[in-house]
Amino acid sequence: MTNLLEIHDLHARIVGGRDILKGINLTIKAGEVHAIMGPNGAGKSTLSSVLAGKPGYEVTLGHVLYQGHELASLGPDERARQGIFLAFQYPVEISGVNNMYFLRAALNAVRKQRGEAELDAAQFLKAVKAKLSLLDISEDLLKRAVNVGFSGGEKKRNEIFQMAMLEPALAILDETDSGLDIDALRAVANGVNRLRDPGRAIVMITHYQRLLDYIEPDFVHVLSDGKIVASGDKTLAMDLEERGYAHLASAA
Amino acid sequence: MSATLDTVETILAAGEDNYKYGFVTDIDVDELPPGLNEDTVRFISATKAEPAWLLEWRLKAFRRWQGMTAPDWAKLKIAPIDYQASTYYSAPKAASGPKSLDEIDPELLKTYEKLGIPLGERAALAGIAVDAVFDSVSVATTFKDTLAAQGIIFCSFGDAVREHPELVQKYLGSVVPPGDNFFSALNSAVFSDGSFAYIPPGIRCPMELSTYFRINAAKSGQFERTLLIADKGAYVSYLEGCTAPQRDENQLHAAVVELVAQEDAEIKYSTVQNWYPGDAEGKGGIYNFVTKRGACRGANAKIAWTQVETGSAITWKYPSCILEGENSVGEFYSVAITNHMQQADTGTKMIHIGRNTRSTIISKGISAGRGQNTYRGAVKILPGAENARNYTQCDSLLIGKTCGAHAIPYIDSRNPSARVEHEATASKVSDEQMFYCQQRGLTQEDALSLIVNGFCKEVLKELPMEFAVEAQKLLAVSLEGSVG
Ligand SMILES: Nc1ncnc2c1ncn2[C@@H]1O[C@H](COP(=O)(O)OP(=O)(O)O)[C@@H](O)[C@H]1O
Ligand SMILES: [Mg+2]
């Protein structure tokens, strides 16, 4: 199978700052679930921002191939339309914009890119209903403004719901588990598990092992000080749970 | 709008090609040379075969105006205006005399079609009665007969003077006296046409009434007058739209709108103002100096102003309500956008006179480019306004770092039982919001438009459906070039 994402010796920083990512190498194939773990400040969110093309970041060395093409040449919205989805660590509020309306605009942008017909309100509603039953999400969330007044758990569920609707090829979940109580965590994890698909790769960023109890990754990587210092299968995560990150960081 | 229209209009490439209404109609006109004196006033009045009382009224206003100076309290930078350089009367030749749709110059019909304003059969489809004002005169009023069957009068101001002089004489200047301010005095002297509507007692106007203002001639000012009366228990929703060609010189627009709502009557007045804003460097554009005021004369009367101000180089406009009748209600919902070099100083005045009067003010100011946007509002509670209530919410949104937003609320309460609440916020379109939208697949332009429309939602939802859609598109167009 061809590689969906190839990260080669990636160095990146916030424009004008010091390198935060200091040589990342990672290859991801469709159908795989990768967990990226690491202490606070390791560069996990920076990696997801760089992959999603967030303005304000610059790649200083190395490069990334997505579906065989140079990612650097694509703007953030183009990356999104081509199937890269980022579930935000801190989902953003947009007041006055209905959540459904937002999602339909997003879905139609993505569908257009795929050469599919845009959905009208009725067709969209039907698609929403189908996905709602997949995830444990209250319809009420959809009627409110995007993320406005949502609890932490609601925001994270909403991110996963968007992912379900947009059906990305590559989903990056940045600390989707943080700030969730056990029930919310279970609901979010169930949602993600249902979205596992041979055509889709999922990258889960977390610094707790507990998410991996619910979503079993194929690969686990440890990110420390801007580098991947260890890679393995899920036993690596269990190992980390017992011994912490420190010995890995010093080994790097 | 049909792209297959065979038009003779020239699209002026004045640097700003996103103002799609910037074309000029090539048509024969009767026009006064530039300049303003008593003879100008007499000429206008004579051309319209006005009664003596109206000429006197105009002359009085003119003399009053001569002794006045332009207001300078607004937060606007305006180059001195030479009032002698403007043309005070310009009318399409065919428009004189009685007219039906069939007699209208086809060029004019094409112009309105191009603007998306239904005057012919399309009006019937759209179900909106339209009075179209082209430069100085009204060129068509649709649905007149349908409305007349219910006793509703909807016609050009000129027709109203001829056919319903008693109504005009009774109400003209009763809400905005000619001497109210510099621009209302000027308008009272030289107004050329406009719209008139009267809704008889107990009648709910069965369709939206609409006036469409179009400035076409070069160097011409437009001074129209709208007078709208909802008699006891009547209801009317009124829409007003405006566009002008792109021209390099500034053009003057000084309108007066007067609304009268009697007991239990309700008037909803909605405006989408899209006069040519000038180019990105601030060259050209309409100077929009407008006096709009409504009086709730009877108990339980209600007047609601909704405005979406996207156009004009300068906007000076304060649609206001005089709440005389007890339990009467005044509302003001406003979106004002300033991009590039545009300046807006706009807001409202709510004057509470009667007991239990209530007013609501929702103002959304959006600044981009080097635009300057000022909300100026006054809430006045007179001693007799027992239990008066006002709620004001005034929000500004900034796009970029070179624009400005200002809020100047005045509150003057002379009755201790009154309650006045004021909330104000200022925010920026954040990079995080833009990135979030883009990460979901929206282009930068769509992302900004979505965020801005969300910001304006409370106002946009007050607009009639067709207007709201148009307004949303306009907001997006107005902000083109403000990010990236
Ligand atoms: N906006 C910012 N400005 C400056 N430094 C930042 C910013 N965001 C993150 N950093 C720094 O970059 C490093 C990596 O941060 P981040 O990618 O958020 O780590 P993680 O997600 O692994 O906790 C940290 O040292 C952090 O302080
Ligand atoms: Mg992080």
Side-chain angles (χ1 to χ4, degrees), chain A residues 72-146:
Chain A
S73 61
L74 300 177
D77 52 323
E78 292 170 302
R79 296 181 196 199
R81 290 195 295 273
Q82 294 191 15
I84 296 181
F85 178 91
L86 172 61
F88 283 57
Q89 181 170 3
Y90 304 106
V92 182
E93 301 186 0
I94 309 174
S95 51
V97 177
N98 176 273
N99 207 16
M100 286 275 264
Y101 182 86
F102 177 72
L103 192 48
R104 180 150 79 100
L107 181 58
N108 280 335
V110 169
R111 288 180 65 92
K112 215 167 142 188
Q113 172 77 28
R114 294 183 195 141
E116 296 165 358
E118 296 191 14
L119 299 184
D120 65 23
Q123 293 165 323
F124 175 71
L125 203 63
K126 226 173 123 190
V128 163
K129 289 258 159 73
K131 300 286 179 180
L132 273 179
S133 57
L134 194 75
L135 295 155
D136 184 21
I137 278 198
S138 85
E139 248 176 277
D140 170 59
L141 273 195
L142 300 175
K143 295 180 188 141
R144 285 150 60 181
V146 181

Side-chain angles (χ1 to χ4, degrees), chain A residues 25-230:
Chain A
N25 289 290
L26 184 62
T27 296
I28 295 175
K29 289 186 166 68
E32 295 176 350
V33 175
H34 291 243
I36 297 180
M37 306 185 67
N40 268 326
K44 303 184 298 293
S45 291
T46 303
L47 176 61
S48 59
S49 296
V50 170
L51 292 176
K54 184 173 181 177
Y57 289 81
E58 61 186 355
V59 171
T60 50
L61 200 68
H63 68 134
V64 182
L65 292 178
Y66 171 68
Q67 293 177 335
H69 300 287
E70 282 294 341
L71 199 54
S73 61
L74 300 177
D77 52 323
E78 292 170 302
R79 296 181 196 199
R81 290 195 295 273
Q82 294 191 15
I84 296 181
F85 178 91
L86 172 61
F88 283 57
Q89 181 170 3
Y90 304 106
V92 182
E93 301 186 0
I94 309 174
S95 51
V97 177
N98 176 273
N99 207 16
M100 286 275 264
Y101 182 86
F102 177 72
L103 192 48
R104 180 150 79 100
L107 181 58
N108 280 335
V110 169
R111 288 180 65 92
K112 215 167 142 188
Q113 172 77 28
R114 294 183 195 141
E116 296 165 358
E118 296 191 14
L119 299 184
D120 65 23
Q123 293 165 323
F124 175 71
L125 203 63
K126 226 173 123 190
V128 163
K129 289 258 159 73
K131 300 286 179 180
L132 273 179
S133 57
L134 194 75
L135 295 155
D136 184 21
I137 278 198
S138 85
E139 248 176 277
D140 170 59
L141 273 195
L142 300 175
K143 295 180 188 141
R144 285 150 60 181
V146 181
N147 292 320
V148 176
F150 287 25
S151 71
E154 286 172 336
K155 282 184 184 171
K156 297 298 175 78
R157 280 182 210 217
N158 192 41
E159 294 290 290
I160 301 305
F161 179 63
Q162 292 179 349
M163 170 181 161
M165 292 297 296
L166 298 176
E167 301 181 325
L170 173 64
I172 305 162
L173 315 184
D174 191 1
E175 307 254 1
T176 296
D177 55 328
S178 65
L180 296 186
D181 63 32
I182 198 71
D183 290 333
L185 178 66
R186 226 179 246 135
V188 164
N190 278 338
V192 173
N193 281 328
R194 289 187 189 150
L195 294 171
R196 289 179 83 145
D197 185 284
R200 174 174 302 135
I202 298 175
V203 177
M204 289 188 294
I205 290 173
T206 178
H207 69 264
Y208 297 112
Q209 196 260 338
R210 101 185 154 148
L211 178 65
L212 310 186
D213 294 340
Y214 296 93
I215 308 170
E216 215 175 283
D218 302 307
F219 302 94
V220 175
H221 312 278
V222 177
L223 186 67
S224 177
D225 192 24
K227 274 184 243 164
I228 289 179
V229 294

Side-chain angles (χ1 to χ4, degrees), chain A residues 54 77 80-81 84-86 88 92-97 101-102 106 109 147 159 162, chain B residues 430-433 435-444 450-451 453-455 457 472:
Chain A
K54 184 173 181 177
D77 52 323
R81 290 195 295 273
I84 296 181
F85 178 91
L86 172 61
F88 283 57
V92 182
E93 301 186 0
I94 309 174
S95 51
V97 177
Y101 182 86
F102 177 72
N147 292 320
E159 294 290 290
Q162 292 179 349
Chain B
S430 74
D431 295 345
E432 293 293 328
Q433 284 178 321
F435 176 57
Y436 190 69
C437 293
Q438 288 183 272
Q439 211 304 305
R440 294 301 179 255
L442 304 182
T443 61
Q444 201 170 38
L450 188 93
I451 294 166
N453 273 300
F455 173 74
K457 185 167 186 182
Q472 285 192 13

Side-chain angles (χ1 to χ4, degrees), chain B residues 7-173:
Chain B
T7 54
V8 296
E9 287 87 352
T10 340
I11 304 288
L12 286 186
E16 276 288 273
D17 50 8
N18 53 11
Y19 186 75
K20 67 172 176 174
Y21 310 101
F23 59 86
V24 175
T25 306
D26 183 9
I27 193 165
D28 269 351
V29 292
D30 287 322
E31 196 172 88
L32 268 181
L36 178 56
N37 53 40
E38 277 203 16
D39 288 342
T40 321
V41 178
R42 286 178 200 282
F43 173 87
I44 293 168
S45 189
T47 304
K48 308 182 83 60
E50 285 177 352
W53 68 263
L54 191 48
L55 173 61
E56 265 324 298
W57 193 84
R58 285 175 180 276
L59 288 171
K60 226 171 118 186
F62 179 69
R63 289 167 197 145
R64 190 75 191 267
W65 177 75
Q66 285 181 302
M68 297 172 93
T69 47
D72 60 358
W73 41 261
K75 203 172 163 52
L76 298 169
K77 285 204 186 90
I78 310 170
I81 298 167
D82 179 3
Y83 289 91
Q84 297 303 332
S86 234
T87 295
Y88 289 84
Y89 189 82
S90 169
K93 271 219 164 86
S96 51
K99 71 240 176 200
S100 74
L101 272 178
D102 313 331
E103 290 172 43
I104 293 175
D105 188 320
E107 283 307 320
L108 273 181
L109 282 181
K110 278 185 196 167
T111 296
Y112 281 94
E113 202 163 324
K114 196 165 173 183
L115 293 166
I117 312 305
L119 289 186
E121 285 152 40
R122 292 182 51 226
L125 292 174
I128 299 173
V130 182
D131 184 26
V133 177
F134 190 85
D135 287 338
S136 300
V137 295
S138 169
V139 292
T141 307
T142 60
F143 277 113
K144 221 166 155 173
D145 299 341
T146 320
L147 293 167
Q150 299 209 42
I152 296 169
I153 303 167
F154 180 45
C155 60
S156 73
F157 205 92
D159 287 351
V161 170
R162 270 188 299 280
E163 292 161 26
H164 309 282
E166 68 302 334
L167 283 175
V168 176
Q169 198 164 7
K170 179 171 173 192
Y171 291 106
L172 180 67

